[in-house]
Amino acid sequence: MNALNQPAFSGPDLAAVKQRQQGVWSTGDYPAVGTTLQIVGETLAETLDLAPGERVLDVAAGNGNATLAAARRFCDVVSTDYVDAWLRAGMERAKAEGLPVAFREADAEDLPFEDASFDVVTSTFGVMFTADQDAAAKSMLRVCRSGGRIGMANWTPAGFIGQVFKTIGRHVPPPAGVRSPLEWSSEERLQELFGSDATNVSVTPKTFVFRYRSARAWVESWREIYGPMNKAFQAVGETGAAELEDDLVKLAEAASIGGERAMIVPAEYAEIVIRKR
């Protein structure tokens, strides 16, 4: 077959990628990780200047850090994710605090809400992992009213979590042709995704600090509870596990500012605020 007769490359099968991603994120116990990131949701809520009575949609909410932050500010909140177990974890947290929140299983790429239904749309370390970035951005924009805000917290490539994914990628390469979730921290990429429908796209570097007893204790914990790391260790098997663990321990030790006391690692992320046109 000559080149003229070969079928054109149509790109990755994003539906298949999404199905695999859902399997990855359903593995382990992400709420055990997510709860430690609670301060990020609170910080984002303050940056967005949430007001009582505003309608807020939390997309790919995990166990609900941004959800609860908005509810604590007396907003009318709907929390969504495509992993039912995470929604149930968020439900339990809301119930424990006596916060009225609506929970709904939903795909970030095809949100089941009417146009312009919300004043504010949020996502913390969630929507950045969607397989179809353009569809997710379009969906968030559609449900946000004109003049409303979209607020996100997304990991950066240069930050600690970006380097974690880079380290894992040396052992288990990501799917070919799929855009990196870390692009969601790039102002250039965000302009591509949202710019034509936004009056302003603001990207501010922020820092979250991971604190564990040691770098090895962190790896031992996350290889069980953090889906992407759990799946990576499964993929490399027994023969590759020791090398992957050593590389991650070295990364964390090099990034730690805790010395011999503990693993204390500042992790950069981007706090993003977009105002819809």
Side-chain angles (χ1 to χ4, degrees):
M1 181 184 292
N2 61 41
L4 292 177
N5 293 326
Q6 290 181 357
F9 177 67
S10 59
D13 183 344
L14 294 179
V17 171
K18 179 162 62 175
Q19 187 174 22
R20 287 197 299 272
Q21 286 179 334
Q22 189 169 12
V24 168
W25 288 109
S26 298
T27 302
D29 182 16
Y30 180 74
V33 177
T35 302
T36 66
L37 301 168
Q38 180 171 323
I39 193 173
V40 175
E42 294 290 338
T43 302
L44 181 62
E46 286 300 300
T47 298
L48 289 167
D49 193 23
L50 296 181
E54 285 196 300
R55 299 163 297 165
V56 177
L57 176 66
D58 195 12
V59 179
N63 63 326
N65 288 333
T67 293
L68 299 181
R72 292 186 190 110
R73 288 157 178 80
F74 305 101
C75 295
D76 181 7
V77 188
V78 180
S79 185
T80 65
D81 206 291
Y82 68 178
V83 180
D84 179 66
W86 297 356
L87 287 176
R88 284 187 274 109
M91 232 177 267
E92 291 174 3
R93 295 177 72 191
K95 182 179 179 181
E97 293 194 36
L99 297 172
V101 176
F103 291 87
R104 183 164 178 181
E105 190 170 337
D107 182 351
E109 297 171 15
D110 187 19
L111 294 166
F113 304 103
E114 294 182 2
D115 296 0
S117 298
F118 297 93
D119 301 299
V120 181
V121 180
T122 63
S123 186
T124 55
F125 311 126
V127 74
M128 65 179 288
F129 292 105
T130 51
D132 189 335
Q133 297 185 359
D134 293 279
K138 182 178 179 180
S139 190
M140 294 174 79
L141 281 164
R142 181 184 61 77
V143 300
C144 185
R145 68 167 175 83
S146 178
R149 293 99 73 204
I150 296 172
M152 294 179 284
N154 298 327
W155 300 118
T156 66
F160 177 64
I161 297 301
Q163 293 304 302
V164 168
F165 280 110
K166 182 178 180 180
T167 300
I168 290 174
R170 291 201 298 267
H171 296 261
V172 184
V178 177
R179 301 194 73 136
S180 168
L182 300 169
E183 290 188 53
W184 280 81
S185 66
S186 160
E187 185 169 354
E188 180 180 359
R189 177 59 175 153
L190 291 167
Q191 288 287 353
E192 292 175 356
L193 291 169
F194 296 95
S196 62
D197 292 294
T199 59
N200 186 62
V201 176
S202 170
V203 181
T204 304
K206 296 278 187 176
T207 301
F208 174 82
V209 181
F210 286 99
R211 301 174 186 272
Y212 283 82
R213 295 184 183 278
S214 68
R216 198 163 296 277
W218 163 70
V219 175
E220 289 173 355
S221 172
W222 274 36
R223 71 180 292 176
E224 297 298 325
I225 66 175
Y226 190 59
M229 193 178 291
N230 179 284
K231 285 294 188 182
F233 274 99
Q234 289 184 32
V236 298
E238 292 185 10
T239 55
E243 185 178 354
L244 175 57
E245 180 174 348
D246 285 345
D247 283 352
L248 289 168
V249 168
K250 289 175 183 176
L251 172 68
E253 288 178 342
S256 178
I257 59 174
E260 296 183 359
R261 292 186 302 138
M263 172 188 147
I264 303 175
V265 174
E268 182 187 68
Y269 69 94
E271 186 181 74
I272 296 144
V273 178
I274 298 164
R275 187 168 290 274
K276 184 178 175 181
R277 191 177 301 279

